[in-house]
Amino acid sequence: MTEKKHSPKSPPCVQITGMGIVSAIGHDIAEFTRSLADGKSGVRRIAQSTTPPLAVAIGAEIDGFNFEQMLGQFSDMPESLTQSAQHVTRRAPFTIQTSVISALQAWRQARLNDKPIESERIGLVIAGHNTTQNYQYSLCSDFQRNPEYLSPRYALQFMDSNQIGVLSEIFNIRGEGFVTGGASASGNVGVIHGARLIQAGLVDACLVVGVVADLSPMEIQGFCTIGAMGGKQFHDQPEKACRPFDALHEGFIYGQASACLVLESGNSANARKAPGLANILGGAINLHATASAQPDIDGETKAMNAALQQSGLAACEIDYLNTHGSSSPLGDKVEIQAIEQVFGDHFPRVRLNATKGLTGHCLYSAGVVEIIASVVQMQQGFIHPNINLENPINTTANFCGATAVSQQIHSAMSNSFGFGGINTSIVLQRISADTDF
């Protein structure tokens, strides 16, 4: 495999130097990695009762999360940082608390405390929108009884921009910051825009945080009403409900995760001697001009081809593809057709899997979760299993089976597609000792 060269006139190389995650299959990168390798599913019956009852009581929810306990795991970080996190976040909604923990993990791995970057040269991208739906829903009944007792913090906390305020205060980030939305493609949209900030020379590093989708019963009912959510056929066997690319797939299974990446220019990482985890070689976003939830083969192929063109790689140089793979009958069918069209003769050789089969569909953060899963597999040399893939809808595709397989991955692609015709694809490259920036 020939490493991509970057001439002085090329945009700056963008590396991933830090990762963090809080998910249904792991509250940190190490636990998440073990779960991927073991094929551990986070999908289970949702125990918490709601009024009205959930339309589908199956999901991969974050379980056992305790902010104070999780914060205690960062005793090796500056006390001023953890005290700030505790002060700003202690009474914050669940979505904020999980974002802070995943960001602390990524910040620590990128060694941004030991080898800091000037605060004005760090950016912040929040990937996700409408992230406070369950928080607002939970306050509604009390508000109807007595509006005057609404918390004064609510005016700030119901806005997605609160994530920017909290994280920028904790980490003293003073570069550009904004929220990106793209439905289920939000994570990839955020990563692409974070990389563009670095390539434009506006920042040296960027924190990209994929926010937990904390859905209320109303949103879950909405997804069920349009036929997007599965779980009915396997309501008594929740671990079998999420079945990307299997003939018995019936819709996505809701998942939760907060996931964070530290993106950094190659020059900055080299100057700080911060080990890079992977290069982002290319990333593309396009629309297929629809207000519906329908996928589009042309939009998906264009996104993958554009990402490949940016990366400088040919389709035959991609070893592995982390599919969008949502377990939606139409979505899976269109995506596998698009992949076959893009990869042509290489299609039977490129390894495929779907992380959502283990994590559920994490919606806003899915793209970031799946980039982390891709980088972990590149680093560790394995492809995680496709559990529940018993009768593949395409028998030519090189899907991983029921158990993990050893595989050296030099270059990978990760897809994310969202309602409203949003198509995204990102190309990653494993960093080796002889990589030339």
Side-chain angles (χ1 to χ4, degrees):
M1 173 69 193
T2 302
E3 305 287 359
K4 184 182 178 187
K5 306 295 183 180
H6 292 265
S7 72
K9 294 182 180 179
S10 299
C13 168
V14 177
Q15 295 187 5
I16 297 170
T17 55
M19 304 190 300
I21 194 164
V22 178
S23 74
I25 63 169
H27 289 185
D28 56 36
I29 295 295
E31 186 182 3
F32 181 71
T33 300
R34 288 192 296 272
S35 294
L36 290 179
D38 294 342
K40 177 183 176 182
S41 171
V43 179
R44 59 184 71 89
R45 181 163 296 282
I46 295 173
Q48 186 175 356
S49 61
T50 63
T51 304
L54 294 174
V56 175
I58 293 173
E61 290 189 310
I62 293 171
D63 186 41
F65 177 82
N66 182 294
F67 178 73
E68 296 289 342
Q69 288 181 4
M70 292 290 290
L71 192 61
Q73 297 176 12
F74 299 97
S75 58
D76 58 322
M77 299 181 77
E79 188 175 357
S80 59
L81 184 67
T82 55
Q83 284 183 345
S84 176
Q86 184 175 45
H87 172 72
V88 177
T89 314
R90 184 175 48 208
R91 297 182 182 178
F94 169 70
T95 53
I96 291 284
Q97 292 186 344
T98 51
S99 290
V100 169
I101 295 299
S102 66
L104 282 166
Q105 292 175 13
W107 192 269
R108 175 167 61 186
Q109 186 175 29
R111 302 182 182 179
L112 284 167
N113 291 317
D114 305 328
K115 302 171 182 178
I117 296 173
E118 199 176 324
S119 59
E120 288 79 5
R121 298 295 300 169
I122 304 178
L124 175 60
V125 177
I126 301 302
H129 52 100
N130 305 321
T131 58
T132 61
Q133 291 162 319
N134 199 38
Y135 170 60
Q136 294 180 61
Y137 186 88
S138 68
L139 297 175
C140 192
S141 59
D142 288 341
F143 175 74
Q144 288 174 332
R145 284 196 295 270
N146 196 334
E148 293 182 0
Y149 283 93
L150 185 68
S151 168
R153 297 183 183 87
Y154 181 75
L156 297 175
Q157 290 177 342
F158 82 85
M159 292 188 283
D160 292 328
S161 58
N162 189 42
Q163 295 263 351
I164 295 174
V166 168
L167 291 165
S168 64
E169 180 173 338
I170 292 170
F171 296 103
N172 190 30
I173 295 172
R174 297 175 183 268
E176 285 201 17
F178 47 84
V179 176
T180 63
S184 298
S186 294
N188 269 14
V189 171
V191 172
I192 290 168
H193 281 288
R196 288 175 179 173
L197 286 178
I198 293 169
Q199 290 172 332
L202 299 173
V203 296
D204 295 321
C206 187
L207 199 70
V208 180
V209 182
V211 181
V212 165
D214 190 24
L215 302 184
S216 80
M218 187 180 296
E219 285 77 54
I220 291 175
Q221 181 63 55
F223 282 127
C224 290
T225 299
I226 65 169
M229 187 173 278
K232 299 179 182 66
Q233 185 175 357
F234 294 95
H235 66 278
D236 291 329
Q237 297 174 293
E239 70 282 357
K240 295 185 178 182
C242 197
R243 313 178 69 85
F245 303 107
D246 185 77
L248 293 181
H249 52 185
E250 59 176 355
F252 82 83
I253 301 300
Y254 170 45
Q256 288 185 328
S258 172
C260 180
L261 298 173
V262 173
L263 308 184
E264 190 168 352
S265 74
N267 288 338
S268 174
N270 286 342
R272 296 193 312 112
K273 293 183 172 54
L277 306 174
N279 291 323
I280 296 177
L281 296 187
I285 307 169
N286 71 51
L287 307 177
H288 61 259
T290 182
S292 76
Q294 299 301 306
D296 179 79
I297 190 169
D298 187 53
E300 294 183 11
T301 56
K302 284 181 177 177
M304 286 185 272
N305 281 326
L308 283 169
Q309 184 176 12
Q310 282 188 30
S311 74
L313 300 180
C316 63
E317 295 180 274
I318 300 296
D319 304 307
Y320 160 70
L321 197 157
N322 191 302
T323 64
H324 179 67
S326 66
S327 194
S328 158
L330 182 57
D332 288 355
K333 176 184 176 182
V334 170
E335 184 179 11
I336 205 67
Q337 289 175 343
I339 294 169
E340 188 167 14
Q341 186 170 313
V342 169
F343 285 86
D345 293 342
H346 187 56
F347 175 69
R349 291 185 288 278
V350 63
R351 277 287 193 177
L352 307 175
N353 64 8
T355 299
K356 291 181 181 71
L358 304 177
T359 63
H361 190 340
C362 298
L363 299 174
Y364 319 130
S365 64
V368 185
V369 170
E370 288 155 23
I371 286 176
I372 291 174
S374 298
V375 172
V376 162
Q377 292 170 95
M378 294 171 85
Q379 290 180 317
Q380 301 295 324
F382 73 93
I383 306 288
H384 76 65
N386 285 295
I387 63 171
N388 301 325
L389 184 57
E390 297 167 350
N391 188 9
I393 61 171
N394 185 303
T395 56
T396 306
N398 193 5
F399 292 116
C400 188
T403 58
V405 296
S406 296
Q407 174 85 30
Q408 290 302 308
I409 307 168
H410 298 283
S411 300
M413 175 179 282
S414 186
N415 290 339
S416 282
F417 309 120
F419 288 175
I422 304 167
N423 307 293
T424 71
S425 189
I426 290 175
V427 174
L428 303 165
Q429 178 192 59
R430 189 179 72 193
I431 293 178
S432 60
D434 60 348
T435 300
D436 181 8
F437 302 117

